[in-house]
Amino acid sequence: MEHKLRMSPEQVLAEAVSAVARARGYTDDVEFSPEDASRSDFDFMCDVLQAAVDNGAGTLNIPDTVGYATPVEWAERIRSIRKRVSGDYVLSTHCHNDLGLAVANSLAAIQAGARQVECTVNGIGERAGNAAMEEIVMAIRTRPDTFSDVETSIRTEELARSSRMVSRLTGYPVQFNKAVVGRNAFAHEAGIHQHGVLNERTTYEIMDPSDVGQGESKIVLGKHSGRAAFKDTLSKLGMTIQGDALNAAFTRFKELADRKVQLTDADLEALVAEEMGDRVMATYSLISLEVRSGSTTTPSADLVIRVEGEECAVSATGDGMVDASCTAIKKATGIVGRLTDYNVMSVTGGVDALADVVLSFESSDGVKVSGRGLAADVVEASARAFISALNKIARVRRTGEDPNAVDRPGHLG
Amino acid sequence: MEHKLRMSPEQVLAEAVSAVARARGYTDDVEFSPEDASRSDFDFMCDVLQAAVDNGAGTLNIPDTVGYATPVEWAERIRSIRKRVSGDYVLSTHCHNDLGLAVANSLAAIQAGARQVECTVNGIGERAGNAAMEEIVMAIRTRPDTFSDVETSIRTEELARSSRMVSRLTGYPVQFNKAVVGRNAFAHEAGIHQHGVLNERTTYEIMDPSDVGQGESKIVLGKHSGRAAFKDTLSKLGMTIQGDALNAAFTRFKELADRKVQLTDADLEALVAEEMGDRVMATYSLISLEVRSGSTTTPSADLVIRVEGEECAVSATGDGMVDASCTAIKKATGIVGRLTDYNVMSVTGGVDALADVVLSFESSDGVKVSGRGLAADVVEASARAFISALNKIARVRRTGEDPNAVDRPGHLG
């Protein structure tokens, strides 16, 4: 309090009261949240919480801002708040994962009476992240004996797909051994376990993979599929696109299908996600890219790119072909800065899968953006990702909007 | 028991007794572990455990084989076993992460009296993995108030490096928001948090990044560095290599340094790890690779590879340049099979970083191997990784050894 807010306890209390009262002027649904509840003075915090309820807060959200709590003490804290603070409110928990305990602490809070859980898909969030939604949901569902008085209305069979989408949009890979949504979460490697599963599934599986959407991919479309089949398949996957977006996605689909025989639903998800991401007005667009490299050749790239309507041909060399391509793109656009992150995922696994590249770029004037690109070839995918990032920079410069609003997920507490 | 072992309770008890007694014939340090202790009949399990102790087991390891337990009930189970089973033994806990609770359950077990924790670096292991060692260690260290009667002798400043090494060797990426060892574990994105940290570090940091080895990289070596500086730097990083291995690593270092100005310690770690991995007798080695691709060109690769001492030149086309290169390598070696996994990490982030490719391959006769390759160019790194995988297949065929012993981490229970 003294380090961060530079206010006395009385000032903090008064501010809390007036903020809640003011919020109630706009809505009946006011949530109040005292930061760092795991290390705060408990008595004072309860006074503030009581004042918030008395002035109209309907939800009290208790955050373990630095991920410091352990399950037993977190449950105890939630239980004590319920006892101490009277009134009609929902208790909420918001846990961070710095010690790897965010999910366990959230579940402990539920057992202690919390009825709102602040959590995120894949557990993304500040530092080591927040509690992973999919793990909490599946713990409640898998252990009805332990969580007998609560349920979620989450459609669990969408968990795996939601996880893939969030991973793709943020550029944060999901580790293979991530609970519930990791790609190995249901893989039995050890022979002794495989034997057990073949005899009786419940020997080693407490969840059914299809319950979380980790079933077999229902394969789908090939190079001979038409626009109607394409649109129909997308809508079965829950993706509705029309008009120009549909045309653009279909064109990219045909290009990719010409190289790959079949596209799985994961491929299609990735494709549509990329097209949707690029619906911002594009200042730059890729016309063609030719690259070559070799043990005895310097990696080089010949690029044709449309810059504000005009085609521009540039060539460059680099440490590798990705570096050469990006250097050529920098030359053509005149944007200076550095790549701060670069990540390739194969959409479906295997070397003939589509490469899904996510990268982060920081321009010399401090604008941070990310870009994604999808292609059968990893270098082309990288160039597409870089161009998509630079389009965001161009948008910031054109519109003068807040650079941090362009490409940053909201702060999660 | 009936599904998997097809034995009666009496048979299981007799088998346990005779197995422990037999093991004691070889060593004084015998650990006994009843599988799936979270769902087993508790009374019967205690009878078996007591019999194991009575026949000389010094450690009783209690596994939550399917990751079914929650912290409160797991602590209760450990506590009950301590009460019920008498004798001089160490209680151990072995938790799986299917519901995201492995770390919390392990810590709960410690609080209930367990004094051995079976855990893994990065939490790797069957399905969603085992308890993550680094999170358990740092929870104990960060919360001495809660874990007042235990300590570990882990040198925590090696945690980040160990994590990188395991990630590289297994090909399992560590997610950015992984607690303790993820690369964002200490990154403050939100402006409001950055402000807090600048004023007073403990506002948002409960651990010091340097305590877990997540400090700044001390940069290191460039193209003008000589062999002595190279060796010296490696030894500072705790890597001792000599003779042929040193020569080979130094040659690769010079090749890479010619393309990149500076190599960080993470680059060096990756380089040496790759060279060490390739110390198996190589049946195949890359002589040269030339690749090209473009929007209007079919991706193609010209490869020269040494196959059992003879140089062999092949060309191939593919969906992308990686696919073309791997097809050429398959042609030259005659090995048939499919890539089951493909993953690119940039060693230090940024597009001019070294590409570290890890892939998995399954030959048509069912041998599963992984391979790693490092290069400034992502396609070359992929080809190196594929060749290193095929060298393992060749070794299996040459020596007739158990294919699963070649490349699989031990089963972790």
Side-chain angles (χ1 to χ4, degrees):
Chain A
M1 207 145 59
E2 61 194 286
H3 288 303
K4 187 171 156 188
L5 301 177
R6 302 190 185 286
M7 289 199 269
S8 70
E10 294 70 30
Q11 285 173 308
V12 169
L13 185 64
E15 284 284 338
V17 165
S18 89
V20 169
R22 179 163 174 199
R24 272 304 292 258
Y26 300 107
T27 173
D28 285 346
D29 185 9
V30 174
E31 168 170 324
F32 181 81
S33 190
E35 192 174 59
D36 202 1
S38 47
R39 298 186 301 179
S40 299
D41 177 79
F42 186 71
D43 290 332
F44 176 66
M45 183 173 75
C46 287
D47 292 345
V48 175
L49 290 173
Q50 186 67 62
V53 172
D54 293 345
N55 283 275
T59 304
L60 295 180
N61 177 58
I62 313 301
D64 180 20
T65 306
V66 292
Y68 188 75
T70 61
V72 171
E73 65 197 22
W74 195 241
E76 177 54 29
R77 182 145 280 220
I78 296 293
R79 213 171 275 122
S80 304
I81 292 171
R82 276 180 78 205
K83 267 190 214 140
R84 280 279 293 270
V85 181
S86 59
D88 184 22
Y89 61 89
V90 172
L91 209 48
S92 164
T93 183
H94 174 117
C95 296
H96 276 266
N97 201 39
D98 296 69
L99 297 176
L101 295 170
V103 167
N105 287 342
S106 302
L107 292 170
I110 293 170
Q111 290 178 302
R115 286 299 172 268
Q116 172 178 305
V117 177
E118 299 195 351
C119 52
T120 61
V121 174
N122 297 343
I124 60 169
E126 193 75 4
R127 301 185 314 277
N130 289 71
M133 187 263 275
E134 58 281 0
E135 297 175 11
I136 294 171
V137 167
M138 291 312 292
I140 292 173
R141 180 175 162 149
T142 306
R143 298 301 311 273
D145 53 332
T146 302
F147 300 97
S148 56
D149 51 352
V150 292
E151 58 185 28
T152 72
S153 49
I154 301 285
R155 283 165 49 202
T156 58
E157 63 280 10
E158 296 290 332
L159 288 175
R161 206 143 65 94
S162 308
S163 165
R164 286 201 299 271
M165 185 186 294
V166 169
S167 172
R168 209 173 281 131
L169 292 174
T170 56
Y172 281 27
V174 171
Q175 65 189 33
F176 299 167
N177 53 324
K178 169 86 168 58
V180 181
V181 292
R183 72 199 213 193
N184 286 9
F186 297 95
H188 301 278
E189 286 275 331
I192 190 173
H193 284 195
Q194 286 169 354
H195 173 73
V197 171
L198 291 177
N199 282 340
E200 169 60 41
R201 178 168 213 141
T202 56
T203 312
Y204 292 102
E205 282 188 3
I206 57 176
M207 292 172 272
D208 185 332
S210 65
D211 283 348
V212 302
Q214 288 241 52
E216 290 290 299
S217 170
K218 282 122 207 140
I219 311 234
V220 205
L221 295 174
K223 60 199 292 189
H224 303 299
S225 305
R227 183 181 307 250
F230 178 71
K231 191 179 172 185
D232 184 53
T233 306
L234 289 183
S235 82
K236 277 185 196 140
L237 293 170
M239 295 181 281
T240 334
I241 57 172
Q242 294 177 315
D244 287 352
L246 175 63
N247 292 341
F250 185 68
T251 304
R252 285 297 308 283
F253 158 68
K254 290 303 265 187
E255 284 169 22
L256 292 168
D258 278 345
R259 289 207 168 166
K260 284 197 68 180
V261 179
Q262 285 190 312
L263 295 177
T264 67
D265 44 12
D267 289 329
L268 285 179
E269 270 173 35
L271 172 67
V272 173
E274 192 207 350
E275 284 300 320
M276 308 286 260
D278 274 356
R279 301 303 299 164
V280 292
M281 249 193 307
T283 307
Y284 312 113
S285 58
L286 181 68
I287 305 296
S288 74
L289 174 70
E290 305 281 327
V291 291
R292 69 208 70 76
S293 177
S295 338
T296 54
T297 330
T298 302
S300 66
D302 298 326
L303 171 85
V304 182
I305 185 172
R306 186 176 290 125
V307 178
E308 295 179 48
E310 285 194 26
E311 288 197 8
C312 166
V314 275
S315 296
T317 58
D319 292 333
M321 286 180 283
V322 173
D323 188 40
S325 304
C326 291
T327 303
I329 294 167
K330 280 188 198 170
K331 269 194 200 174
T333 60
I335 295 182
V336 184
R338 65 191 186 93
L339 273 140
T340 52
D341 203 14
Y342 173 78
N343 187 48
V344 186
M345 292 177 273
S346 61
V347 176
T348 44
V351 87
D352 59 345
L354 295 182
D356 190 357
V357 172
V358 180
L359 49 76
S360 306
F361 180 79
E362 181 171 358
S363 68
S364 53
D365 52 344
V367 182
K368 290 179 192 168
V369 290
S370 69
R372 298 180 44 233
L374 193 74
D377 185 81
V378 64
V379 178
E380 183 188 336
S382 304
R384 286 184 181 277
F386 193 46
I387 289 172
S388 109
L390 296 192
N391 272 322
K392 291 182 188 161
I393 302 243
R395 195 177 99 201
V396 169
R397 294 194 175 165
R398 202 170 55 233
T399 61
E401 70 189 288
D402 173 11
N404 287 323
V406 179
D407 204 38
R408 194 64 63 75
H411 167 51
L412 297 158
Chain B
M1 206 144 62
E2 63 194 285
H3 288 303
K4 188 172 155 190
L5 301 176
R6 301 187 185 288
M7 290 198 270
S8 70
E10 295 70 30
Q11 285 172 309
V12 169
L13 186 64
E15 284 284 338
V17 166
S18 88
V20 170
R22 180 162 173 201
R24 271 304 292 258
Y26 300 106
T27 172
D28 285 345
D29 185 9
V30 174
E31 169 171 324
F32 181 81
S33 190
E35 192 174 57
D36 202 0
S38 47
R39 299 186 301 179
S40 298
D41 178 80
F42 185 71
D43 290 333
F44 176 66
M45 182 173 74
C46 285
D47 291 346
V48 175
L49 291 173
Q50 187 67 62
V53 172
D54 293 345
N55 284 275
T59 305
L60 297 180
N61 177 58
I62 314 301
D64 180 22
T65 306
V66 293
Y68 188 74
T70 59
V72 172
E73 66 197 23
W74 195 240
E76 177 54 31
R77 183 145 281 219
I78 296 293
R79 214 171 273 123
S80 305
I81 292 171
R82 275 179 80 204
K83 268 191 214 140
R84 280 278 294 270
V85 181
S86 59
D88 184 20
Y89 60 90
V90 171
L91 209 48
S92 165
T93 183
H94 175 118
C95 296
H96 276 265
N97 202 40
D98 295 70
L99 297 177
L101 295 170
V103 167
N105 287 341
S106 301
L107 292 170
I110 293 171
Q111 290 178 302
R115 286 298 173 268
Q116 172 177 303
V117 176
E118 299 195 351
C119 52
T120 61
V121 174
N122 297 343
I124 60 169
E126 194 74 5
R127 301 185 314 279
N130 290 71
M133 186 263 276
E134 58 280 0
E135 297 175 11
I136 294 170
V137 167
M138 291 312 292
I140 292 172
R141 179 174 162 150
T142 307
R143 298 301 312 274
D145 52 331
T146 302
F147 301 98
S148 56
D149 50 350
V150 292
E151 58 185 29
T152 72
S153 48
I154 301 286
R155 282 165 49 201
T156 58
E157 63 279 10
E158 296 290 332
L159 288 174
R161 205 144 66 96
S162 308
S163 166
R164 287 202 298 271
M165 185 187 293
V166 169
S167 172
R168 207 174 283 132
L169 291 174
T170 56
Y172 281 28
V174 171
Q175 64 190 34
F176 299 168
N177 54 326
K178 169 86 167 60
V180 181
V181 292
R183 73 200 212 191
N184 287 9
F186 297 94
H188 302 278
E189 286 275 332
I192 190 173
H193 284 195
Q194 285 169 354
H195 173 74
V197 171
L198 291 177
N199 281 340
E200 168 60 40
R201 179 173 212 136
T202 55
T203 311
Y204 292 103
E205 282 188 4
I206 57 175
M207 292 172 273
D208 183 334
S210 66
D211 283 349
V212 302
Q214 289 242 51
E216 291 289 298
S217 171
K218 280 125 208 138
I219 312 227
V220 213
L221 293 176
K223 60 200 292 190
H224 303 299
S225 305
R227 183 181 306 252
F230 178 72
K231 191 179 173 187
D232 185 51
T233 306
L234 289 182
S235 82
K236 278 185 195 140
L237 292 170
M239 296 182 281
T240 334
I241 58 172
Q242 294 175 315
D244 287 352
L246 175 62
N247 292 341
F250 185 69
T251 305
R252 285 296 307 284
F253 158 68
K254 289 304 264 185
E255 285 168 21
L256 293 168
D258 279 345
R259 289 206 167 168
K260 283 197 69 182
V261 179
Q262 283 190 312
L263 295 175
T264 67
D265 45 10
D267 289 329
L268 285 179
E269 270 173 35
L271 171 68
V272 173
E274 192 207 350
E275 282 300 320
M276 307 287 261
D278 274 357
R279 302 300 300 163
V280 293
M281 250 194 305
T283 307
Y284 313 113
S285 57
L286 181 67
I287 304 297
S288 73
L289 174 70
E290 305 280 327
V291 291
R292 69 208 70 76
S293 176
S295 337
T296 54
T297 331
T298 303
S300 66
D302 298 325
L303 171 85
V304 182
I305 185 173
R306 185 175 291 124
V307 178
E308 294 178 48
E310 285 194 25
E311 288 196 8
C312 167
V314 276
S315 298
T317 59
D319 293 333
M321 287 180 282
V322 173
D323 188 40
S325 304
C326 291
T327 303
I329 294 167
K330 280 189 198 168
K331 268 193 198 173
T333 60
I335 294 182
V336 185
R338 67 192 185 93
L339 273 139
T340 51
D341 203 13
Y342 173 77
N343 188 47
V344 186
M345 293 177 270
S346 62
V347 175
T348 45
V351 87
D352 59 344
L354 295 181
D356 191 356
V357 172
V358 180
L359 48 76
S360 305
F361 180 80
E362 182 170 356
S363 69
S364 53
D365 52 345
V367 181
K368 291 179 192 166
V369 289
S370 69
R372 298 181 44 234
L374 193 73
D377 187 82
V378 64
V379 178
E380 183 187 336
S382 304
R384 287 184 181 277
F386 192 46
I387 290 172
S388 112
L390 297 191
N391 272 322
K392 292 183 187 161
I393 302 244
R395 194 177 102 200
V396 169
R397 295 195 175 161
R398 201 170 58 233
T399 61
E401 68 191 289
D402 174 11
N404 287 323
V406 179
D407 205 38
R408 195 62 64 76
H411 167 51
L412 297 159

